[in-house]
Amino acid sequence: MSAVILASSACAQAPLKAAVSPQPSSSNVETSSDTYKLSQASEYPDLTAEEAGRRILNLVDGLESMDELPLERVIERTGFPLKYAPAGNLHAFAVELAGNRGFYNVIYRDKNGRRFVEIRYAGPEESEHSDVFPCVLGATAVAERLKALGYIMNTDIDEIGRTLEHMFTRGRLGVRIVPSDHSMPSPLGIDTCIEVLTIQSED
């Protein structure tokens, strides 16, 4: 079973990562219903990769600060069954997509009063499927939505001009977008697929 990557910090330029592997079905270790484990798409047919991204992005609507998003509120608004992941000291929900199309995982962390909510997409780990990626959120389309909500956009690029991330800020809130190397068609033309979208505090 492939491991799902959980980010342990949304504030760093390149977040530290901890791999959380679900217990295999043959294990003698019992997994509590309150502890994170990898889910299959068939268990949550309504929570497609696209729908999951939409629900995370909808958290931004009307949001003034992360104080308004305790864990219980995030679960209520998104419908994600977030469970505690001890390896990352956070709450998570992850789905392996059908047809070997990769993963998405949602994480929520509240440490010392600083909260973030994040969705991360990843393609299959097998090298023969390196061209496969769950392209469901377009960076340009999301940027236009955030700008319409009053967010100011800044882009971080590397020394050869490649985009590392887009950061959107409004008051005490920040929305961080990390683009992938994949693209998708959209009403705006060809759009870059989003790999990571994080909603976080800016104070």
Side-chain angles (χ1 to χ4, degrees), residues 2 20 33 48 57 64 84-85 121 123 125 149 154 188 193-194:
S2 301
V20 177
S33 61
T48 63
L57 191 56
E64 296 299 329
Y84 184 62
Y121 295 99
E125 293 184 346
L149 292 173
N154 287 289
L188 301 172
C193 305
I194 290 176

Side-chain angles (χ1 to χ4, degrees), residues 58-98:
N58 284 345
L59 289 173
V60 176
D61 290 347
L63 189 65
E64 296 299 329
S65 80
M66 293 302 290
D67 294 340
E68 301 169 28
L69 288 182
L71 175 64
E72 295 77 11
R73 181 63 171 156
V74 173
I75 293 173
E76 177 188 349
R77 288 191 58 182
T78 63
F80 296 134
L82 294 164
K83 303 297 182 182
Y84 184 62
N89 191 26
L90 45 77
H91 287 75
F93 171 65
V95 171
E96 182 175 17
L97 302 173

Side-chain angles (χ1 to χ4, degrees), residues 4-26:
V4 177
I5 303 301
L6 300 181
S8 63
S9 170
C11 300
Q13 189 76 357
L16 298 175
K17 298 178 181 179
V20 177
S21 300
Q23 295 290 341
S25 57
S26 60

Side-chain angles (χ1 to χ4, degrees), residues 57-69 77 114-117 146 149-154 167-176 198-203:
L57 191 56
N58 284 345
L59 289 173
V60 176
D61 290 347
L63 189 65
E64 296 299 329
S65 80
M66 293 302 290
D67 294 340
E68 301 169 28
L69 288 182
R77 288 191 58 182
R114 296 185 64 85
R115 298 168 174 164
F116 74 81
V117 184
L146 292 171
L149 292 173
Y151 283 80
I152 299 172
M153 174 180 170
N154 287 289
M167 193 67 203
F168 300 82
T169 56
R170 188 191 69 185
R172 299 171 59 193
L173 284 174
V175 180
R176 173 176 168 265
T198 310
I199 305 171
Q200 62 191 44
S201 174
E202 282 299 294
D203 52 18

